[in-house]
């Protein structure tokens, strides 16, 4: 563990109490959010704001999701410890750290080389060892499929087919789908080999998912 991991513990407790009030009831998620030092995942200028419930800038014009959004997406996955989970959009690595802290077998893909490298370094320093890949997450990571859970942390124009195909039977895909201004959180559950069901949840605003099965770069 890095020095200063225990710093801001009081602020984390307040944040977790707020998340609980907002409807996050999965104890494993709340405990993980209490344990993971979010301030390490931000540039130092923003460390003081790490425990406010807001999205904040990270490098390369990207953002670290708001804590509520991380908790909300994770809760929709309905995971059990030991489940294999794929994240699309490693970004700062915070969501991946939460999943590791919850005891999941974590795979995460990032398209930006700098963010991928920074997250790799920080997560290892904090003692987390998810499998990280630099590449286009809209294609999934077929080598390790199927996954019990897949979480997309960037705004998608639709549900990428490869992600659907890489879900285990009984597995869930949580993805914000819409235009670039606003996206609705969807949860696709693979009921059997051939059947899926889709449920609709709240609206959010994410940075774009750019890739073959996402938005195309101009
Ligand atoms: N989960 C992150 C939030 C990251 S923001 C966190 O906890 O900090 C979304 C990230 O998705 C950005 O880093 C962006 O570079 C990345 N991204 C966008 N399109 C992608 C794609 N096709 N494959 C992988 N990563 C992608």
């Amino acid at each position: 563990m890095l020095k200063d991991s225990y710093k801001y513990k009081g602020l984390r407790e307040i944040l977790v109490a707020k998340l609980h009030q907002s409807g996050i009831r999965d104890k494993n998620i709340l405990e993980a959010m209490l344990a993971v030092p979010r301030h390490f995942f931000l540039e130092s200028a923003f460390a003081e704001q790490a425990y406010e419930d807001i999205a904040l800038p990270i490098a390369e014009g990207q953002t670290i999701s708001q804590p509520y959004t991380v908790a909300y997406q994770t809760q929709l996955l309905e995971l059990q410890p030991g489940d294999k989970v794929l994240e699309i959009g490693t970004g700062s690595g915070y969501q991946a750290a939460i999943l590791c802290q919850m005891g999941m077998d974590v795979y995460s893909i990032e398209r930006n080389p700098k963010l991928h490298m920074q997250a790799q370094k920080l997560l290892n320093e904090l003692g987390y060892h998810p499998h990280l890949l630099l590449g286009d997450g809209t294609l999934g990571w077929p080598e390790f499929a199927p996954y019990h859970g897949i979480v997309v942390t960037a705004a998608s124009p639709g549900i990428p087919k490869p992600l659907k195909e890489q879900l285990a039977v009984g597995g869930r895909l949580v993805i914000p789908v819409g235009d670039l201004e606003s996206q609705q959180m969807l949860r696709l559950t693979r009921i059997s080999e051939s059947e899926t069901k889709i449920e609709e949840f709240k609206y959010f605003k994410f940075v774009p998912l750019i890739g073959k099965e996402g938005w195309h770069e101009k």
Side-chain angles (χ1 to χ4, degrees):
M1 267 287 177
L2 286 180
K3 175 167 140 280
D4 284 347
S5 287
Y6 296 102
K7 206 174 161 187
Y8 303 124
K9 180 125 195 298
L11 293 181
R12 277 203 289 286
E13 279 166 3
I14 296 168
L15 173 67
V16 165
K18 281 193 196 143
L19 293 173
H20 183 260
Q21 259 176 5
S22 317
I24 306 299
R25 293 297 147 88
D26 183 327
K27 263 190 92 179
N28 199 11
I29 297 177
L30 295 170
E31 279 168 13
M33 296 197 70
L34 197 58
V36 176
R38 188 170 184 260
H39 59 279
F40 284 132
F41 293 83
L42 299 163
E43 313 216 317
S44 55
F46 296 101
E48 293 288 325
Q49 285 167 281
Y51 301 104
E52 290 173 31
D53 193 15
I54 50 176
L56 287 164
I58 53 174
E60 305 290 285
Q62 302 300 316
T63 52
I64 176 171
S65 302
Q66 187 181 339
Y68 175 72
T69 309
V70 172
Y72 188 87
Q73 287 196 283
T74 308
Q75 182 157 279
L76 285 178
L77 290 171
E78 292 183 24
L79 300 168
Q80 300 299 322
D83 278 356
K84 199 193 276 187
V85 188
L86 175 66
E87 177 195 22
I88 312 304
T90 314
S92 68
Y94 179 70
Q95 168 82 72
I98 293 291
L99 292 167
C100 289
Q101 180 72 35
M102 288 173 70
M104 307 305 160
D105 181 15
V106 183
Y107 295 77
S108 182
I109 309 175
E110 172 56 53
R111 71 184 288 271
N112 181 295
K114 184 170 167 201
L115 293 175
H116 165 77
M117 274 166 51
Q118 277 183 357
Q120 174 90 266
K121 180 166 179 281
L122 176 60
L123 287 164
N124 291 346
E125 280 170 0
L126 288 169
Y128 298 120
H129 300 283
H131 308 260
L132 300 181
L133 178 70
L134 175 64
D136 178 5
T138 67
L139 305 176
W141 197 343
E143 208 182 327
F144 296 102
Y147 302 94
H148 299 109
I150 301 180
V151 59
V152 179
T153 68
S156 182
I159 299 180
K161 198 159 162 249
L163 299 185
K164 220 188 310 191
E165 291 168 350
Q166 290 172 34
L167 267 186
V169 170
R172 298 176 185 85
L173 163 65
V174 173
I175 178 167
V177 173
D179 56 28
L180 294 174
E181 293 310 312
S182 159
Q183 307 89 35
Q184 185 168 30
M185 198 63 74
L186 301 184
R187 177 168 66 183
L188 180 146
T189 305
R190 184 161 198 178
I191 302 168
S192 68
E193 277 302 325
S194 58
E195 290 165 284
T196 55
K197 88 169 169 193
I198 296 181
E199 297 160 279
E200 299 177 348
F201 297 91
K202 291 195 230 189
Y203 284 83
F204 292 85
K205 183 172 173 156
F206 285 78
V207 296
L209 179 73
I210 297 166
K212 190 155 181 283
E213 306 281 331
W215 297 100
H216 298 147
E217 223 163 0
K218 277 175 231 125

